């Protein structure tokens, strides 16, 4: 997330918001935030939201996601929301929403459905 200049904006059980500012290096040829950046930040928001409900000794890995790009990601900054829909012992299902903010107006630009897995006993996955 540091590469994107993303920052954790809000955290609560089952809920995480990530924010990032528009930067030329994150755009595609028309100046919109690249879909890969939107996907990456949404995946992280969904994953961290899932992790908030998992035991401390586990790590989280995404096993599947689907993104719907609803509008060009054009704005001064962006907010990615991750929310847990169903938390299980091993599998968690989250959803994400990406918003572009421009002159105080917020616009939904993408949604994500994300399935995540709790992983235990793998030292390389620990902080």
């Amino acid at each position: 997330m540091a590469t994107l200049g993303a920052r954790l904006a809000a955290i609560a059980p089952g809920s995480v918001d990530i924010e990032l500012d528009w930067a030329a290096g994150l755009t595609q040829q028309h100046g919109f935030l690249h879909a890969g950046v939107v996907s990456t930040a949404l995946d992280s928001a969904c994953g961290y939201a899932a992790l908030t409900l998992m035991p401390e000794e586990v790590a989280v890995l995404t096993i599947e996601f689907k993104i719907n790009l609803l509008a060009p990601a054009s704005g001064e900054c962006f907010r990615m929301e991750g929310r847990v829909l169903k938390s299980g012992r091993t599998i968690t299902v989250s959803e994400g929403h990406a918003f572009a903010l421009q002159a105080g107006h917020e616009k939904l630009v993408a949604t994500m459905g994300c399935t995540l897995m709790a992983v235990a006993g793998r030292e390389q996955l620990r902080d």
Side-chain angles (χ1 to χ4, degrees):
M1 293 285 82
T3 301
L4 303 180
R7 57 199 172 273
L8 189 59
I11 185 168
S15 175
V16 165
D17 288 3
I18 292 175
E19 293 179 347
L20 61 119
D21 296 325
W22 183 92
L26 302 178
T27 64
Q28 44 82 288
Q29 69 274 18
H30 302 294
F32 305 128
L33 194 66
H34 194 282
V37 174
V38 174
S39 297
T40 298
L42 271 176
D43 177 40
S44 290
C46 288
Y48 288 133
L51 189 61
T52 66
L53 299 177
M54 293 179 179
E56 187 174 320
E57 67 275 5
V58 303
V60 64
L61 290 175
T62 300
I63 56 176
E64 179 269 342
F65 71 71
K66 183 199 186 296
I67 187 164
N68 291 298
L69 303 167
L70 307 174
S74 177
E76 300 162 351
C77 60
F78 303 88
R79 182 170 54 85
M80 314 304 182
E81 297 178 345
R83 304 293 186 264
V84 171
L85 297 176
K86 168 85 170 66
S87 179
R89 184 175 49 84
T90 304
I91 302 297
T92 297
V93 177
S94 297
E95 67 178 357
H97 295 94
F99 297 92
L101 291 82
Q102 182 75 39
H105 176 72
E106 195 171 73
K107 179 179 182 179
L108 180 66
V109 296
T111 62
M112 176 178 278
C114 194
T115 307
L116 306 114
M117 176 176 66
V119 181
R122 295 190 190 174
E123 274 306 308
Q124 72 271 27
L125 298 180
R126 297 302 306 151
D127 293 342

